[in-house]
Amino acid sequence: METTIEITFGARETLPVMIRNQARLLGLTDAEFAKRLIVEGMERLVADSEPSKPGKTLEDFLVRNGALYPRE
């Protein structure tokens, strides 16, 4: 199941245009660029909390290190 987070900006806020401009420079959609910003911000919050745990596959690695939930 996908999760959607809706963010609303006021009519006078410039951040949506700044996001759109940077996204276009990088060849990304607004949503892709916003997700990148969120991921980078979250990485700073948990940086150096503990070393990564090795995995048997890339998916196993991502699950063990909290990037994905295990498949049901």
Side-chain angles (χ1 to χ4, degrees):
M1 178 173 98
E2 292 189 19
T3 301
T4 300
I5 299 173
E6 184 176 327
I7 302 171
T8 305
F9 296 93
R12 297 185 60 218
E13 293 183 74
T14 61
L15 193 54
V17 173
M18 293 168 59
I19 289 171
R20 183 170 294 116
N21 290 342
Q22 288 300 309
R24 297 302 174 272
L25 288 172
L26 296 169
L28 301 170
T29 66
D30 299 351
E32 290 168 334
F33 184 65
K35 187 174 180 180
R36 179 182 285 186
L37 293 174
I38 292 167
V39 167
E40 288 174 359
M42 293 300 294
E43 285 174 345
R44 284 194 292 274
L45 290 176
V46 296
D48 300 325
S49 60
E50 59 183 62
S52 297
K53 301 171 188 117
K56 296 175 184 169
T57 64
L58 176 57
E59 183 165 337
D60 184 49
F61 172 79
L62 294 171
V63 169
R64 288 176 186 243
N65 291 285
L68 295 176
Y69 287 116
R71 292 186 189 267
E72 294 182 7

